[in-house]
Each structure stands twice: as structure tokens, then as C-alpha cells.
Amino acid sequence: MLSFHPLSLADKSWIDRHVFEENSRSADFNFGNMFLWDGRYRQMVADDDRHLVTLCCAYEHPVFPFPIGCGDLAPVLADMRDYAAANGFPLVIKGLEERHVALVNALFPGCFDCTEDRNYADYLYSADKLISLAGKKLHGKRNHINRFTAEHDWSSRELTPELFPDCLALLARWAEDADNAAGTVDGEHAAIARAFEHYDALDLLGGALFAEGELVGFTVGEKISADTFDVHFEKARADLNGAYPTVNREFVKLVRERYPEIAYINREDDMGLENLRKSKESYDPDILLRKFTVRWRETA
């Protein structure tokens, strides 16, 4: 039987081991996102030596993210099924990639119903493309950056702790104009504050953009697989034309300096928000990493 405990910073080392065994480009499978958003998802974790098993308690009933790791998946899926049955809730597993769906169905044929979660598909971009912004589809991004760099005395550098207060002040300014639908702004603000509180322990990397000596943008993320870096947060002065594409480009340059092996930048999902989807699509994603939910059939 699975033995769960609340997620804590002390879990990072063994969870990281499973994350890099899985070697997924998905933003769902990294300790940073788990820890930073734990206030929302209220996660319990268990280690069976083969896989990380997570239980999210923020929904109508507990749900499992897909168990990541190595080795035979059938026993851990059976353990998850038995745990759900023993605790009186249906077995629902979220965050599956297409390869996971195929694997689950091969191990338990006819036992799961599957639905696609389009709102939670991840947008992945070639790191080289985000730096060069070459081609007709991205000429608008280049034009915005050219305007920003022409109109401002600007600079960028790695984000360091002495800049965190300025980042939080910029975040507060940004939040005043944002739509706090379903508490998304409040939740993100809390996650960013937690990132700054545990920045070094979480092995995060961030970038900062300045104009006329003032911080006007920042971004934070982490390496999540052999060739992919996940951008957790990106904020900039919306009233400064070109600030967003500039902070994006400059940060990807920094990521490649730190991790030359990075081929893809995961800019995460759009949560079904129209403006966010439009923004992510405007960068011409190279991969739309589809996500699925499976549910154990009651008659299975």
C-alpha cells in the first residue's frame, strides 16, 4: 500500500531523481512547479523506489498526476487503483502525455476512459528560434524588440536575490491591471514569493531586464529534462512596448549560456485563457505537448 506524506523541500533530491529518470519535456513533472504551486494543489507524495506517486487534494476528490520514474508501471498503477478504492474515491490520473496514454492502455486494456485537456497543453519552442526570432512569423517580435532597444537605455542580467524586492514591486504593479479570475493572480503571486524565498534551494535560474536603470521585467525557471528548460514565470511592464519579447529573448540567451545542451524552452500552458493562448501561439510553437486525463471505468 502506498504511504503518502505532505510535500516538502526535503523531498527535492529523490523527486529530482525520478524527474530525470522520466526525462519528460512536460512542465507537470518537475519539483519546482510542484513545490511553488503546492498552496493551490495541496500535494501528498509517496516513493515506491520506482516512481514518484503524487496525490493532489485540491479537487472535488483527490486525483493523481501521472506517476513518473522508471521500471514496471503496472504495479504502481495497481497500487494507485487500490489506494483510491480503499479511500472511497475514483481513480483519476491527470497530466498524461500521448505516450503515457498508450502505455496505460496497453497495461490495462479497456479499463480507462480518456479525455484530452487542451487547456493544459504545453507550448514548446526551439531555443535557437527564440534567440534569433528569424522568419516571417516572428518579424513582429523582432520589430517590438528593435523599438524597445532603440527607445531605452536598457540592459539585462541574471536575477539575483537583491533584485527580489524590485520584482515583487513590479509584480504588484502588474497585478493591479490583471484579471484575477478564479484567484489566478493571487495564486501566482504566492508562487513567485515562494520561489524567491527558496530560490537557491530550488536551483532556479532567473533573468532581469532594465530600462533607464529601473527593473522592468523578470523571468524565472529551471531545467526539467536533458534538453528542456521550463519558464515558470515571466512578468514585464506592459506599458513599455517590446519589454516582454526582450525579456524573453535575453533570458533564453542566459539559459543557453548556463545550459548549452538546452534545445527547447517550455513556456507552459495557457489555462484556456484567450489572451494567453494568443500570446503563446504568436511565438509559433514547435511542439504543442498534448495532455490527457484517464479515469478508471467503474465496470472495469
Side-chain angles (χ1 to χ4, degrees):
M1 181 65 72
L2 295 168
S3 177
F4 287 97
H5 64 267
L7 178 71
S8 77
L9 196 57
D11 295 308
K12 186 178 188 308
S13 60
W14 69 266
I15 288 178
D16 280 348
R17 172 169 55 86
H18 290 312
V19 168
F20 284 94
E21 288 169 347
E22 185 71 25
N23 197 32
S24 170
R25 292 171 176 157
S26 170
D28 293 353
F29 307 133
N30 62 79
F31 184 80
N33 262 344
M34 291 178 65
F35 184 77
L36 297 178
W37 291 95
D38 190 45
R40 171 177 292 182
Y41 294 110
R42 308 198 316 272
Q43 298 151 107
M44 307 287 286
V45 294
D47 182 9
D48 72 348
D49 293 328
R50 298 161 296 170
H51 299 87
L52 160 66
V53 186
T54 309
L55 194 61
C56 293
C57 303
Y59 301 94
E60 180 182 358
H61 56 75
V63 302
F64 294 96
F66 183 78
I68 61 170
C70 62
D72 189 359
L73 186 64
V76 72
L77 289 175
D79 286 346
M80 291 160 60
R81 176 198 60 199
D82 294 344
Y83 185 92
N87 288 275
F89 60 88
L91 175 60
V92 176
I93 309 174
K94 289 183 171 290
L96 286 78
E97 300 170 34
E98 291 180 83
R99 62 190 176 96
H100 297 144
V101 174
L103 182 57
V104 165
N105 285 334
L107 293 172
F108 294 90
C111 293
F112 286 98
D113 292 316
C114 178
T115 56
E116 183 171 2
D117 300 319
R118 172 61 183 87
N119 293 345
Y120 299 102
D122 286 343
Y123 293 79
L124 278 79
Y125 310 83
S126 158
D128 288 336
K129 184 170 72 175
L130 290 183
I131 292 172
S132 69
L133 297 173
K136 291 183 179 180
K137 291 183 178 179
L138 297 175
H139 77 277
K141 304 296 182 186
R142 296 195 303 272
N143 289 342
H144 286 302
I145 291 175
N146 289 339
R147 178 174 173 180
F148 179 85
T149 56
E151 292 181 349
H152 299 283
D153 177 14
W154 72 281
S155 64
S156 67
R157 65 180 176 90
E158 182 175 342
L159 184 64
T160 48
E162 71 270 13
L163 297 173
F164 293 166
D166 291 336
C167 292
L168 291 174
L170 176 63
L171 179 63
R173 177 175 178 171
W174 171 87
E176 290 178 358
D177 300 323
D179 178 11
N180 193 21
T184 54
V185 171
D186 292 341
E188 186 177 45
H189 197 140
I192 293 174
R194 199 172 207 207
F196 291 161
E197 182 181 0
H198 303 285
Y199 193 76
D200 290 336
L202 291 171
D203 296 324
L204 299 175
L205 177 66
L209 179 69
F210 300 85
E212 287 71 51
E214 177 187 355
L215 186 138
V216 297
F218 71 91
T219 184
V220 175
E222 67 178 303
K223 182 180 176 181
I224 61 171
S225 76
D227 68 356
T228 304
F229 188 94
D230 181 16
V231 175
H232 295 321
F233 312 111
E234 181 183 86
K235 293 289 175 280
R237 286 264 304 274
D239 60 312
L240 296 183
N241 190 302
Y244 267 106
T246 304
V247 76
N248 180 11
R249 184 192 67 178
E250 294 303 302
F251 185 54
V252 178
K253 289 181 180 178
L254 176 63
V255 169
R256 288 295 293 273
E257 290 174 5
R258 181 66 58 85
Y259 304 110
E261 68 275 17
I262 291 299
Y264 291 100
I265 304 296
N266 185 327
R267 291 179 58 81
E268 303 191 352
D269 57 55
D270 60 36
M271 300 180 291
L273 301 175
E274 182 178 355
N275 287 341
L276 191 55
R277 179 168 297 185
K278 182 178 179 181
S279 173
K280 292 179 185 290
E281 289 178 342
S282 72
Y283 274 97
D284 187 29
D286 293 274
I287 299 172
L288 187 66
L289 188 62
R290 300 167 68 192
K291 307 282 187 65
F292 300 84
T293 293
V294 296
R295 182 185 181 105
W296 186 268
R297 291 177 179 170
E298 298 301 328
T299 57

